[in-house]
Amino acid sequence: MKLLHIDSSILGDSSASRHVSAAAVAQFRKKDPSVEVISLDLASDPLPHLDVEALSWLGKELTPDVSGRPELIAGAEALKTFQAADIVVIGVPMYNLSIPSQLKAWIDRIMVAGQTFRYGANGIEGLAKGKKVVLAVARGGLYGAGSPAASFEHQLSYLKSVFTMIGITDITVIEAEGLATNGGADRARILLDAEQKASAL
């Protein structure tokens, strides 16, 4: 069993999403001590944002002449690591109503036609079936269904669309929402509740 653990928050130890994703990984390790965990910190070790050259290499076998192009190699490795994982745990903060750009750069490396999805006679078919995804979502405000700001939420809705498109239907969401409301007075309680949910996976 292989587990890919991704964090994307720039806040280090102060990050709520990192605490929740860590609790989820710890629970998977508790349930199966033999699980192999591969960690990817997109804040400290970011992938370059997609450019024309990187786009031309998506999903292709790298040739010896790109051995001196670490950004191309890193993109190819990101795809291979994702494809090899059985479980993917992602710590996702909300930045300006959406996800961190570092996480978007990673998504651009794994959403590859012919690798994780394909276009067929009946539309898009996902090729990454059979994986489990856990989204450890953190945000300062309230953006859930029925809230006044629900229409501004492009974090969780986007990620669900991404993974559903590539064939993943086993998606678990653990939310730490409203962390900055009431001046942050409820942050500790909200975070503890989310960590407890992660520990019960």
Side-chain angles (χ1 to χ4, degrees):
M1 183 76 71
K2 292 185 178 181
L3 186 155
L4 175 59
H5 177 200
I6 299 174
D7 275 315
S8 58
S9 170
I10 61 175
L11 297 180
D13 291 340
S14 299
S15 162
S17 64
R18 286 177 181 268
H19 282 283
V20 179
S21 73
V25 172
Q27 176 63 6
F28 282 115
R29 277 181 158 148
K30 181 180 178 182
K31 290 167 65 176
D32 181 4
S34 69
V35 68
E36 178 185 349
V37 177
I38 300 107
S39 297
L40 181 59
D41 190 330
L42 296 174
S44 63
D45 190 18
L47 287 163
H49 289 97
L50 201 61
D51 60 17
V52 172
E53 186 173 16
L55 179 64
S56 70
W57 282 101
L58 285 179
K60 296 180 181 177
E61 288 295 325
L62 297 179
T63 55
D65 60 302
V66 299
S67 60
R69 302 296 305 276
E71 70 279 10
L72 297 180
I73 295 170
E77 286 300 319
L79 175 60
K80 288 182 180 178
T81 302
F82 170 73
Q83 289 176 314
D86 302 293
I87 304 167
V88 183
V89 176
I90 310 178
V92 192
M94 175 184 272
Y95 292 164
N96 298 318
L97 308 180
S98 186
I99 65 173
S101 63
Q102 295 93 331
L103 181 56
K104 178 60 167 63
W106 177 82
I107 288 171
D108 286 339
R109 297 321 199 281
I110 69 155
M111 293 193 73
V112 182
Q115 296 287 330
T116 54
F117 71 94
R118 65 186 172 201
Y119 298 103
N122 297 316
I124 297 172
E125 179 187 354
L127 303 176
K129 299 171 184 176
K131 299 181 188 298
K132 178 177 182 62
V133 168
V134 176
L135 301 173
V137 173
R139 46 201 186 204
L142 299 171
Y143 297 88
S147 69
S151 63
F152 298 147
E153 192 281 305
H154 307 292
Q155 173 202 32
L156 181 55
S157 56
Y158 169 68
L159 291 171
K160 284 183 174 180
S161 296
V162 164
F163 291 113
T164 300
M165 175 178 165
I166 61 176
I168 299 173
T169 57
D170 187 355
I171 302 172
T172 298
V173 178
I174 303 167
E175 291 180 277
E177 185 181 56
L179 293 164
T181 58
N182 299 324
D186 298 324
R187 177 184 171 89
R189 176 189 58 77
I190 294 168
L191 185 54
L192 178 60
D193 181 60
E195 289 175 341
Q196 289 176 337
K197 289 177 180 176
S199 298
L201 283 170

